[in-house]
Amino acid sequence: MKPFSYERVTSPAEAAAAVARTPGARFIAGGTNLLDLMKLEIETPAHLVDVNGIGLDRIEPTPEGGLRIGALVRNTDLAADATVRRDYGVLSRALLAGASGQLRNKATTAGNLLQRTRCPYFYDTNQPCNKRKPGSGCSAIGGYSRPLAIIGSSDACIATNPSDMAVALRALDATVETVQADGTTRTIAIADFHVLPGKTPHIETALKAGELITAVTLPKPLGGTHIYHKVRDRASYAFAIVSVAGVIQPAGQGRIALGGVAPRPWRVEAAEGDLPKGAKAVSARLLAGAKPTADNAFKVSLVERTIGAVLAEVKGKA
Amino acid sequence: MKFDTPAGTNPIDQMKVVGKPVDRIDGKLKTTGTAPYAYERHDVVKNAAYGYIVGSAIAKGRINSMNVVDAKSAPGVLAVITALDGPKLGKGNSNTANLFGGPDVEHYHQAIALVVAETFEQARAAAHLIRVDYTRTDGKYDLAVQAKSAPLKGDGSDEGSGAPPVHRVGDFEAAFAAAPVQIDQTYTTPDETHAMMEPHATIARWDGDKLTLWTSNQMIDWSRRDVAKILGIPKDNVRLVSPYIGGGFGGKLFVRADAALAAVGAKAVGRPVKVTLQRALIMNNTTHRPATIQRVRIGTDRSGKITAIAHESTSGNLPNGDLETAVSQTRLLYAGANRLVSMRLALLDLPEGNAMRAPGEAPGMMALEVAMDEAAEKLGMDPIEFRVRNDTQEDPEKPGRRFSHRNLTECLRRGADMFGWDKRMAKPGQRRDGRWLVGMGMAAGFRNNIVTKSAARVSIDAKGVVTVRTDMTDIGTGSYTIIAQTAAEVMGVPLEQVVVLLGDSDFPVAAGSGGQWGANNSTAGVYAACMKLRAAIVQKLGYDQARAEFTNGTVRAGNRSVSLGEAVGQAGLTVEDGIEYGDLDKQYQQSTFAGHFVEAGVDAATGEVRLRRMLAVCSAGRILNPKSARSQVIGAMTMGAGAALMEEAVVDKRFGFFVNHDLASYEVPVHADIPHQDVIFLDETDDKSSPMKAKGVGELGICGVGAAIANAIYNATGVRVREYPITLDKYLDRLPQVV
């Protein structure tokens, strides 16, 4: 870990300004990912701006009938929130499928959206990695790629986004609210928040330098049956091999987003029209153009089977 | 005390303290966080500086240069010692690769530099500033490729059953060819890492030319020897202290880079230095269980009697490294007139392969016991009946040489009753519970019992407190407690009146912890010392040796009685003795046996396996403490579940290293993976093993359980996977279509 300076701020605007004025500065909230990366010198911020004291820790209804989740709401609290459990069950289930109780107690809503890939080559600083060191190459391609992406990846990077929460947010069409150093605010659709790697896999989100997430907003409840089905090698405390966030309506229409298969939560709205036709049809359109490796080709059929399990569970509940 | 004839009745048979499920006497220290582990010996070492090890970034090649200018001038740095300018270290007897590499690199993450600084963070930050220029050379990293040209090799170690390069009885080929029922399958097991909770850690302090290491080590005397050899100093100048160990599983049988480089660093900076291996370094820097490719052939007659059995295994290692002795149990477990076992060793440039919990039998049973399941199915026989039919009371290779005590059949029968085996469907894929395909599997368990000499020093003071000192270690197993129980039993004092001090090379040399030999041998050594102390007390009192009894803190003969404290007086009394063995282990085959039973559910859609129930029935001699023994067995069953379902140190075959080298990516079972576990110990003794009549049990629990899981998955799905770990990607396309 490189020596760094540290300050605490008391408002979102102050936080954004503090990061903007110090080169190499980063926000820190729960620190459940950033600190690990700093110890390995994968992240080497010169300055940390601690945003734990800026509020943004409330879950409130919006005038549109949705829900506004403060950036600093902890994953544990978000998962346990009565409104979330009642109206956005897929989000609660996704959160509880991730990490451990201890980590969820620390991890924040905004931080969860910004966690970085768990590609093992990204974590080993002896190995080339375009995400960690742009232009150095991708050692995962041709290496151990079982946990990695089958779609949305590029010749520069085949990493996956590890978040469960983000997959549910993608299914729910959440929006991300931010503030920038000059005080301007904007909203970013979750679909546009995580960007594909292309030739620049070190750029992972639409955020600008110093831009701070202040909240995540959910539109009004969709109804339907909410399921988050996470497939993993062990029963808990493991990243998804494949996960499916499903919000399915009684008539069979609905939404499906995937985790564990792409550099960002993977959703293809056009494919959802095929939901009444069953998993095979949806899966084929969701994964059209997939480029799996020999190690992870099984994920293609696993996606189909997991969607099948989700649809079967919906039927079972109906 | 020489143990060369079967044990008669002795004080242990009273079973007033031994055999009781008492709580660990060190439990309070552990649950309150006050047991002193190696890295936190603030109680004995002040002002320790921090060392941080840099591992090689290549697997094979040469270091051309190391730029340490920035590291040396970084804040807090006291010394930077590199493989190019540091002291040339020797190699311990138990090490295959050098603990300090360079200029030649033998494996990935081999230690090539040590940074010593005032704080851990400073040492780590400076370590990242070292720039190394390498020339990479091609290495051999793919066992499957190298196996094709791997030569035959015998087992060089004396641990485990051992095996010569090729061992034949009768004419295997002819008998197999003639057998009406044949199984010929190949199974693979991956490289595995110990993943113990406590990383390797050492504090080193020099007092003149005397070195003390507070470390985390299973085998004090081996390691003292190797530290002396590595540093080129007399063994007498080395003291090793390791009273508490946060798990070892074989990974701490030997001296590793933390100990060697802490000593080097402490010498360089003239003050104590502590070094721990950072988690991400451990997998490639230290040892691992080597991967195996195992071919098993079983031929039977129509009645299910084995007429031919062969087990051939290939593993790999660095030059001069050892085999994974995966065929050992096949020499002993089942009868059969025509037999063949052999092993091959491929040359690999991966990190050093070495012992991990039940080396040999753990992966070997994962192959053999699935092959037995396959053979039983082909015969149309129940897998338990098939095993019972081929049970034996004699060493199958040496007719007339009997097992000291073998009750495998009872393990299987009792287990079947307890588990409800009669509800198992012989035909696979028949039972459904909602989305789950449910099946049952079983396997025999087998692990040898090893006898080895072990000594202790025992004292009594004027208050009648008994203190035992031995360099035996407690790696989480319960050694403290069973040693205290043994001393309490023999000396006739309450458990609370026994103090046990372990893990210090100033104490008499004990068996140490490995190969499930610790419990029986170390307590037998304590028994011997206590019997000598009894004799000394009786002699001091002038009592009749034949009539003296030790009970309730007193010694009594006829009408005469005195408390132990009074008997020894203010001076107290101290004796030292140990157990040494004759050839009972040659006359009789000493082994431990189990029946493993598993019920597993397989998600019909996703293929995820979730265990539902596990049971082990163990035949392992006298159980010294049913509570700590049970903990050992359920821990081993858990580790076996990891081996069956998820554990694999994945090799990057291009660059030669284990890729998933942290605990986020090398998955071991968590609570949610482990269902209800039952353990039953058969009520028995083995009078050939030692005066304790006990045998090992800490590794028995892992031997066979993986195969029982594999067999349960087969029974649930009808899909046979012969490539461990059994992850869903290996059979998803063979599961029934559900969509």
Side-chain angles (χ1 to χ4, degrees):
Chain A
M1 188 183 284
K2 291 210 161 140
F4 57 91
S5 52
Y6 170 87
E7 71 178 301
R8 288 187 180 134
V9 293
T10 55
S11 74
E14 196 189 334
V19 164
R21 86 176 150 254
T22 319
R26 296 287 307 269
F27 301 112
I28 184 162
T32 56
N33 190 204
L34 181 61
L35 290 177
D36 283 351
L37 296 170
M38 287 171 65
K39 289 171 187 171
L40 295 165
E41 298 203 358
I42 294 165
E43 297 263 17
T44 54
H47 184 68
L48 288 184
V49 176
D50 185 333
V51 297
N52 284 297
I54 64 174
L56 306 182
D57 55 356
R58 307 275 296 273
I59 302 171
E60 299 161 321
T62 64
E64 294 78 25
L67 210 57
R68 187 169 185 275
I69 303 156
L72 285 152
V73 171
R74 307 288 154 170
N75 288 177
T76 296
D77 297 329
L78 182 57
D81 182 84
T83 309
V84 171
R85 290 176 60 192
R86 187 189 62 212
D87 295 336
Y88 306 97
V90 66
L91 175 58
S92 185
R93 291 186 178 120
L95 283 160
L96 293 175
S100 65
Q102 293 91 331
L103 287 167
R104 294 194 296 268
N105 287 343
K106 288 295 287 177
T108 63
T109 306
N112 191 320
L113 280 176
L114 296 174
Q115 64 177 309
R116 307 200 65 190
T117 184
R118 262 61 179 190
C119 173
Y121 294 94
F122 172 73
Y123 265 79
D124 187 335
T125 52
N126 290 329
Q127 307 305 325
C129 172
N130 287 321
K131 191 182 275 298
R132 177 165 29 77
K133 194 174 173 194
S136 62
C138 173
S139 41
I141 295 174
Y144 169 55
S145 56
R146 181 178 182 269
L148 302 178
I150 57 171
I151 195 163
S153 51
S154 72
D155 291 344
C157 183
I158 57 172
T160 45
N161 183 301
S163 174
D164 292 300
M165 183 193 81
V167 181
L169 292 180
R170 182 70 180 86
L172 293 170
D173 267 339
T175 53
V176 180
E177 297 180 6
T178 71
V179 62
Q180 295 174 58
D182 61 4
T184 58
T185 60
R186 65 168 174 154
T187 60
I188 306 167
I190 189 75
D192 302 325
F193 184 79
H194 293 105
V195 299
L196 293 179
K199 292 189 167 110
T200 56
H202 59 291
I203 300 170
E204 295 171 354
T205 70
L207 292 177
K208 296 174 184 163
E211 189 170 7
L212 177 74
I213 298 172
T214 52
V216 171
T217 302
L218 304 179
K220 67 178 185 199
L222 296 164
T225 303
H226 289 224
I227 290 172
Y228 189 75
H229 195 123
K230 180 173 178 177
V231 181
R232 42 190 157 175
D233 289 321
R234 67 178 170 193
S236 173
Y237 200 36
F239 295 101
I241 304 172
V242 159
S243 69
V244 174
V247 180
I248 310 296
Q249 303 300 336
Q253 295 294 340
R255 300 179 181 185
I256 289 280
L258 305 177
V261 297
R264 66 182 187 194
W266 195 255
R267 184 175 165 202
V268 177
E269 280 84 343
E272 291 164 1
D274 285 344
L275 269 171
K277 292 190 207 159
K280 196 177 185 73
V282 184
S283 176
R285 286 188 70 181
L286 263 169
L287 297 182
K291 281 199 275 187
T293 68
D295 268 3
N296 64 26
F298 73 96
K299 287 189 179 186
V300 174
S301 60
L302 184 58
V303 163
E304 181 185 317
R305 297 179 77 103
T306 310
I307 292 173
V310 167
L311 297 181
E313 191 179 337
V314 172
K315 265 193 196 144
K317 285 184 175 180
Chain B
M1 180 186 287
K2 187 80 182 267
F3 182 77
D4 51 9
T5 53
T9 301
N10 68 41
I12 299 298
D13 293 322
Q14 300 173 94
M15 298 277 281
K16 288 180 187 165
V17 194
V18 168
K20 296 282 183 282
V22 301
D23 290 347
R24 286 166 194 247
I25 62 171
D26 53 330
K28 189 176 174 188
L29 287 177
K30 289 187 173 166
T31 51
T32 56
T34 48
Y37 287 85
Y39 202 63
E40 288 131 13
R41 294 307 300 269
H42 313 294
D43 55 329
V44 286
V45 184
K46 310 287 178 214
N47 195 34
Y50 290 78
Y52 190 90
I53 290 174
V54 178
S56 168
I58 64 167
K60 190 173 167 63
R62 197 172 171 83
I63 301 170
N64 301 319
S65 64
M66 297 175 76
N67 183 338
V68 296
V69 174
D70 291 346
K72 277 190 168 166
S73 60
V77 171
L78 302 169
V80 178
I81 300 152
T82 75
L84 300 182
D85 64 11
K88 183 76 190 147
L89 299 182
K91 188 148 79 177
N93 291 2
S94 301
N95 299 131
T96 302
N98 288 298
L99 296 181
F100 203 27
D104 292 319
V105 171
E106 293 166 282
H107 62 86
Y108 195 72
H109 276 175
Q110 187 176 26
I112 58 167
L114 177 79
V115 179
V116 183
E118 291 289 348
T119 70
F120 174 78
E121 289 76 14
Q122 288 171 331
R124 184 176 58 191
H128 280 107
L129 297 172
I130 295 175
R131 299 287 164 252
V132 187
D133 180 48
Y134 301 94
T135 299
R136 203 189 284 254
T137 52
D138 290 340
K140 300 179 172 71
Y141 307 123
D142 190 337
L143 177 63
V145 171
Q146 299 307 320
K148 290 169 191 149
S149 56
L152 289 162
K153 190 173 184 305
D155 173 19
S157 92
D158 55 4
E159 200 252 292
S161 313
V166 180
H167 211 102
R168 288 180 174 279
V169 175
D171 184 345
F172 168 78
E173 281 80 2
F176 184 71
V181 178
Q182 299 173 342
I183 285 292
D184 180 356
Q185 292 293 354
T186 297
Y187 307 85
T188 62
T189 62
D191 298 287
E192 292 173 8
T193 189
H194 307 84
M196 72 294 280
M197 188 67 86
E198 180 202 28
H200 300 73
T202 303
I203 301 178
R205 186 180 75 197
W206 291 88
D207 300 289
D209 58 2
K210 305 272 191 189
L211 173 67
T212 305
L213 298 173
W214 290 269
T215 189
S216 184
N217 190 284
Q218 300 174 228
M219 296 295 296
I220 300 299
D221 194 57
W222 291 3
S223 296
R224 187 180 182 216
R225 171 201 71 202
D226 276 359
V227 167
K229 196 168 175 224
I230 289 164
L231 298 175
I233 60 176
K235 188 177 169 186
D236 285 347
N237 287 4
V238 179
R239 183 178 168 216
L240 238 74
V241 186
S242 185
Y244 294 98
I245 296 154
F249 309 117
K252 294 174 180 166
L253 286 168
F254 318 118
V255 175
R256 298 304 310 173
D258 57 307
L261 294 183
V264 167
K267 191 78 156 182
V269 301
R271 78 188 238 206
V273 167
K274 62 162 81 178
V275 177
T276 185
L277 301 185
Q278 58 271 27
R279 182 65 70 181
L281 194 76
I282 291 176
M283 267 179 81
N284 287 285
N285 176 269
T286 70
T287 60
H288 65 277
R289 187 201 300 281
T292 65
I293 301 169
Q294 302 178 49
R295 183 184 184 195
V296 181
R297 283 175 285 173
I298 298 171
T300 77
D301 65 17
R302 296 266 176 225
S303 77
K305 200 172 141 205
I306 294 174
T307 54
I309 186 163
H311 195 158
E312 298 154 283
S313 173
T314 304
S315 58
N317 215 330
L318 286 165
N320 303 314
D322 257 334
L323 294 149
E324 180 71 25
T325 56
V327 303
S328 304
Q329 71 289 322
T330 308
R331 302 177 61 197
L332 292 163
L333 189 47
Y334 297 113
N338 300 285
R339 318 178 67 87
L340 163 67
V341 301
S342 71
M343 293 189 287
R344 291 176 183 275
L345 182 62
L347 199 62
L348 290 177
D349 295 299
L350 291 171
E352 174 180 342
N354 214 316
M356 181 170 147
R357 199 173 200 171
E361 280 96 332
M365 291 293 280
M366 289 165 78
L368 175 65
E369 286 297 287
V370 174
M372 289 293 286
D373 201 64
E374 300 199 52
E377 188 185 34
K378 214 162 188 178
L379 280 158
M381 261 179 103
D382 181 87
I384 293 174
E385 295 311 315
F386 179 49
R387 285 168 173 85
V388 169
R389 177 131 343 152
N390 291 286
D391 194 12
T392 173
Q393 289 297 324
E394 292 185 347
D395 178 342
E397 291 184 354
K398 299 187 185 75
R401 180 176 180 256
R402 294 185 64 80
F403 283 87
S404 59
H405 186 88
R406 171 171 170 138
N407 210 351
L408 175 62
T409 293
E410 179 62 12
C411 292
L412 303 180
R413 296 265 190 243
R414 277 280 289 281
D417 281 351
M418 295 291 301
F419 204 69
W421 183 254
D422 56 344
K423 296 191 179 58
R424 170 182 176 269
M425 313 264 195
K427 192 177 171 206
Q430 300 302 301
R431 210 178 130 202
R432 194 76 189 249
D433 176 11
R435 64 187 232 234
W436 298 97
L437 306 164
V438 180
M440 286 190 209
M442 59 77 57
F446 177 90
R447 175 68 170 157
N448 279 335
N449 182 61
I450 296 162
V451 293
T452 180
K453 66 180 181 178
S454 190
R457 187 183 305 144
V458 185
S459 311
I460 290 200
D461 67 12
K463 290 177 181 162
V465 172
V466 177
T467 301
V468 182
R469 291 177 175 83
T470 166
D471 86 351
M472 179 61 193
T473 49
D474 188 326
I475 58 174
T477 39
S479 308
Y480 277 102
T481 310
I482 56 172
I483 285 172
Q485 287 174 275
T486 303
E489 191 80 77
V490 180
M491 299 312 300
V493 300
L495 193 61
E496 302 72 45
Q497 218 160 309
V498 180
V499 174
V500 181
L501 300 172
L502 300 182
D504 188 327
S505 62
D506 282 352
F507 302 155
V509 175
S513 300
Q516 77 169 10
W517 64 61
N520 178 50
N521 293 292
S522 71
T523 54
V526 171
Y527 169 84
C530 288
M531 290 303 282
K532 189 172 176 182
L533 181 58
R534 280 169 58 130
I537 292 168
V538 173
Q539 189 183 22
K540 185 167 184 286
L541 293 169
Y543 286 9
D544 180 356
Q545 291 282 2
R547 293 176 64 201
E549 287 176 35
F550 286 71
T551 180
N552 294 324
T554 66
V555 53
R556 196 171 56 213
N559 296 331
R560 303 168 70 189
S561 171
V562 62
S563 78
L564 287 175
E566 280 176 72
V568 300
Q570 280 308 314
L573 196 54
T574 298
V575 305
E576 189 172 319
D577 200 5
I579 195 80
E580 289 181 47
Y581 295 92
D583 67 350
L584 283 175
D585 63 329
K586 303 284 183 299
Q587 290 181 43
Y588 299 92
Q589 176 57 39
Q590 299 188 11
S591 304
T592 62
F593 307 88
H596 283 289
F597 294 81
V598 170
E599 186 177 70
V602 179
D603 189 312
T606 66
E608 288 167 286
V609 177
R610 298 291 179 256
L611 302 179
R612 297 184 156 209
R613 291 188 293 142
M614 301 174 85
L615 166 68
V617 181
C618 302
S619 163
R622 169 176 282 150
I623 298 303
L624 302 174
N625 180 331
K627 192 170 191 179
S628 55
R630 178 180 182 277
S631 293
Q632 281 299 292
V633 175
I634 65 173
M637 289 157 77
T638 302
M639 208 165 189
L645 297 177
M646 62 191 81
E647 291 187 45
E648 177 178 12
V650 180
V651 178
D652 186 310
K653 297 187 179 86
R654 306 162 303 169
F655 304 124
F657 69 106
F658 298 127
V659 183
N660 49 341
H661 52 68
D662 60 34
L663 293 184
S665 49
Y666 183 89
E667 294 182 7
V668 298
V670 294
H671 287 89
D673 292 298
I674 301 304
H676 184 72
Q677 295 173 312
D678 269 326
V679 181
I680 292 168
F681 296 107
L682 298 187
D683 187 7
E684 62 178 45
T685 56
D686 188 331
D687 64 359
K688 321 289 192 313
S689 69
S690 82
M692 304 302 294
K693 305 176 189 173
K695 291 188 282 197
V697 75
E699 298 186 334
L700 178 62
I702 195 174
C703 297
V705 69
I709 291 169
N711 295 337
I713 292 170
Y714 175 74
N715 184 244
T717 61
V719 179
R720 187 70 78 177
V721 179
R722 301 182 182 87
E723 195 184 331
Y724 292 100
I726 305 174
T727 49
L728 57 90
D729 45 305
K730 292 172 185 160
Y731 56 84
L732 196 59
D733 58 358
R734 288 186 275 159
L735 284 179
Q737 270 300 323
V738 292
V739 180

